[in-house]
Amino acid sequence: MFAAARRGTIVRGAFTRRVIAPQAAGLALRHIRGLNSSTTLLVNDNSSLATSSSSSSSVSTSGAGSAGQGLGVQGSQPEKRIRRSIFYVPGSDERKLKSSLSLGADCLVYDLEDGVAFNRKNIAREMVFDALEASEHRKAEKAVRINAVGSGLEFDDLNVVLRSSRLQAIVIPKVQSAKDVQFVSQMVDSVAPFITRKNVRIIASIESALGVMNLKEIATADPRVDALVFAAEDYCADLGLTRTREGTEMLYGRQAIVTAAHAYGLQAIDLVCMDYKNDDILREECEFGRRMGFLGKQAVHPRQLEIIQRCFLPTDQEIARAADISEGYQEHSKRGVGAFNYNGKVIDLPVVKWAEKILSRAHQGGVPIPNADERQKILQAGSTPAVTAGAGTGSAASTTTTVAVNSGKGDNSTTAA
């Protein structure tokens, strides 16, 4: 539980936690979207919620975003993380919090929102803080999904979890506008330890028609924004859609999120597969999501992780072809030749860009790039398993098949660890 020092900086009420620190005392929530009557917030008419006063509010217009492609918060170079899988862990379940430490997910998200009953919110905050401080999680990114901005609970969530020096990302659910993102970023600047605050990223979960319509302003709201997540269940509920296995009813929302993410240098994370016991459906969703341009997928059960992380890596054939194209382009460029022939097909700059993205994704996933002789054998024999670091649930490396996948949000239901 909380140490005495932390009690000294936080004043507790029934469902209230207020920061006494001068730099945070003026921060408050102006959103009235769904304030809970049992939670008291410090409300301030300061218009800085709409436009951040900190240096972290200026956004690059080059499309580089904050995914490690340009200078990030406070002029530092943020670490670019691979997020093939985002795994949600209920913040009020001690057993699942402990068991999550042995999982090989790229990103572990301790959930304070849908996975926690209202009367367990306070204890969940404390348990999540302690889990953050006590765990290493191997190479897994450590994130927390707070309650939605405007719920009346987000201020308390942030005052607690942002004090952890090991927190690496905040997942904001039900993001509707840039103000939601900017509020969280201001809280990071006010509450998080100075040494670590520059590394805290923001993952925005898009769950409504309004969120889709405001994608540009959300994606460019703050340099901390690192990824956009698609929440299928909430999106369907908001639009009155009937979710089907084919998912055609959600195509517009998913394509809009993928397009906005790639336009502004962010990661696009695809929906949760609710049929968590059906591996065939999971593979179908992963492969389709990857073809759409998603870079990862959300998970709510440990058995989903291995398939997701296999699927969201390039296949051996893709890697071999991409390496051939990249080397061929370099060789022809030295001779002043732009387009060139590769196996009877014209290769020009757009194809080369595709190849470089494939190679970059393989490198991030720990997949070695084969030499020329190995590539020839792979392309002749067809796709063979690739070796990737951390793809399994326990080992540092495991054998994988080939499909690069993407998934988004935690439309939470049976979050299990």
Side-chain angles (χ1 to χ4, degrees):
M1 296 304 159
F2 283 98
R6 293 206 300 281
R7 293 195 188 98
T9 59
I10 299 175
V11 177
R12 299 185 184 185
F15 285 94
T16 308
R17 189 175 274 104
R18 302 190 183 195
V19 173
I20 298 177
Q23 71 270 27
L27 279 178
L29 181 60
R30 191 59 181 167
H31 300 267
I32 315 290
R33 196 163 66 224
L35 285 180
N36 191 297
S37 60
S38 65
T39 303
T40 304
L41 294 180
L42 298 177
V43 179
N44 191 327
D45 289 328
N46 194 327
S47 61
S48 64
L49 283 178
T51 306
S52 175
S53 59
S54 71
S55 61
S56 65
S57 294
S58 59
V59 179
S60 169
T61 58
S62 65
S66 62
Q69 300 175 20
L71 288 181
V73 182
Q74 299 178 353
S76 65
Q77 184 78 23
E79 178 184 3
K80 185 165 185 175
R81 287 187 167 274
I82 185 171
R83 297 188 183 100
R84 295 164 299 173
S85 62
I86 289 184
F87 182 72
Y88 294 93
V89 184
S92 60
D93 192 315
E94 185 176 4
R95 179 186 65 81
K96 292 177 180 178
L97 287 171
K98 288 181 178 179
S99 65
S100 69
L101 305 183
S102 63
L103 300 177
D106 288 334
C107 178
L108 282 174
V109 180
Y110 294 135
D111 188 22
L112 295 176
E113 195 211 12
D114 290 347
V116 177
F118 185 79
N119 62 359
R120 297 275 292 169
K121 297 292 185 181
N122 272 346
I123 188 64
R125 294 182 187 112
E126 299 182 0
M127 292 173 68
V128 165
F129 182 94
D130 291 339
L132 287 169
E133 291 296 282
S135 63
E136 290 295 340
H137 296 167
R138 297 178 181 163
K139 295 183 180 179
E141 179 180 30
K142 294 173 285 293
V144 173
R145 180 167 70 174
I146 61 171
N147 288 278
V149 176
S151 66
L153 300 171
E154 72 284 22
F155 195 65
D156 289 350
D157 293 344
L158 291 166
N159 275 327
V160 175
V161 301
L162 284 175
R163 297 180 184 278
S164 172
S165 60
R166 296 188 179 179
L167 177 71
Q168 294 169 296
I170 292 290
V171 179
I172 313 175
K174 300 175 176 61
V175 176
Q176 304 255 48
S177 70
K179 291 181 180 180
D180 298 344
V181 173
Q182 291 161 354
F183 169 77
V184 172
S185 186
Q186 285 188 348
M187 288 291 290
V188 174
D189 284 334
S190 298
V191 180
F194 180 79
I195 254 180
T196 58
R197 69 180 56 164
K198 65 180 180 295
N199 296 318
V200 177
R201 317 312 300 157
I202 289 175
I203 300 173
S205 185
I206 309 301
E207 312 187 16
S208 66
L210 184 58
V212 170
M213 297 305 293
N214 290 334
L215 276 170
K216 180 179 178 180
E217 71 169 77
I218 292 168
T220 59
D222 192 276
R224 283 193 172 98
V225 179
D226 212 38
L228 300 177
V229 164
F230 178 62
E233 298 303 318
D234 294 273
Y235 180 79
C236 287
D238 187 58
L239 276 67
L241 305 178
T242 299
R243 184 170 176 178
T244 64
R245 177 169 176 173
E246 295 76 20
T248 53
E249 68 281 352
M250 299 179 287
L251 280 178
Y252 174 77
R254 293 169 79 187
Q255 289 175 329
I257 287 171
V258 166
T259 301
H262 287 282
Y264 299 106
L266 310 178
Q267 294 175 347
I269 310 298
D270 201 14
L271 48 76
V272 170
C273 178
M274 305 308 288
D275 296 288
Y276 67 93
K277 292 185 178 180
N278 192 318
D279 293 348
D280 291 335
I281 292 179
L282 177 59
R283 288 190 187 93
E284 286 177 13
E285 287 192 9
C286 288
E287 291 167 7
F288 187 72
R290 183 197 174 196
R291 290 196 298 271
M292 289 185 71
F294 284 102
L295 300 178
K297 190 172 184 67
Q298 300 164 88
V300 292
H301 196 281
R303 63 172 288 132
Q304 296 177 314
L305 290 175
E306 186 174 1
I307 291 175
I308 289 174
Q309 299 201 165
R310 287 176 181 174
C311 287
F312 280 99
L313 282 174
T315 67
D316 281 0
Q317 281 189 314
E318 287 175 328
I319 295 171
R321 182 169 179 262
D324 278 355
I325 290 172
S326 179
E327 288 187 7
Y329 177 74
Q330 294 174 28
E331 292 173 2
H332 284 82
S333 293
K334 292 175 182 177
R335 303 199 300 267
V337 178
F340 63 97
N341 169 61
Y342 174 72
N343 291 342
K345 294 184 179 181
V346 176
I347 302 298
D348 55 9
L349 193 55
V351 182
V352 175
K353 290 180 179 179
W354 167 86
E356 293 300 330
K357 285 186 177 181
I358 292 294
L359 296 176
S360 175
R361 198 175 303 170
H363 175 73
Q364 284 184 313
V367 180
I369 308 302
N371 60 37
D373 291 338
E374 292 170 338
R375 296 199 298 267
Q376 186 176 6
K377 292 178 182 178
I378 290 171
L379 293 171
Q380 287 176 348
S383 181
T384 56
V387 176
T388 174
T393 56
S395 60
S398 68
T399 301
T400 89
T401 54
T402 62
V403 206
V405 181
N406 234 336
S407 310
K409 138 114 187 159
D411 348 35
N412 228 318
S413 64
T414 57
T415 334

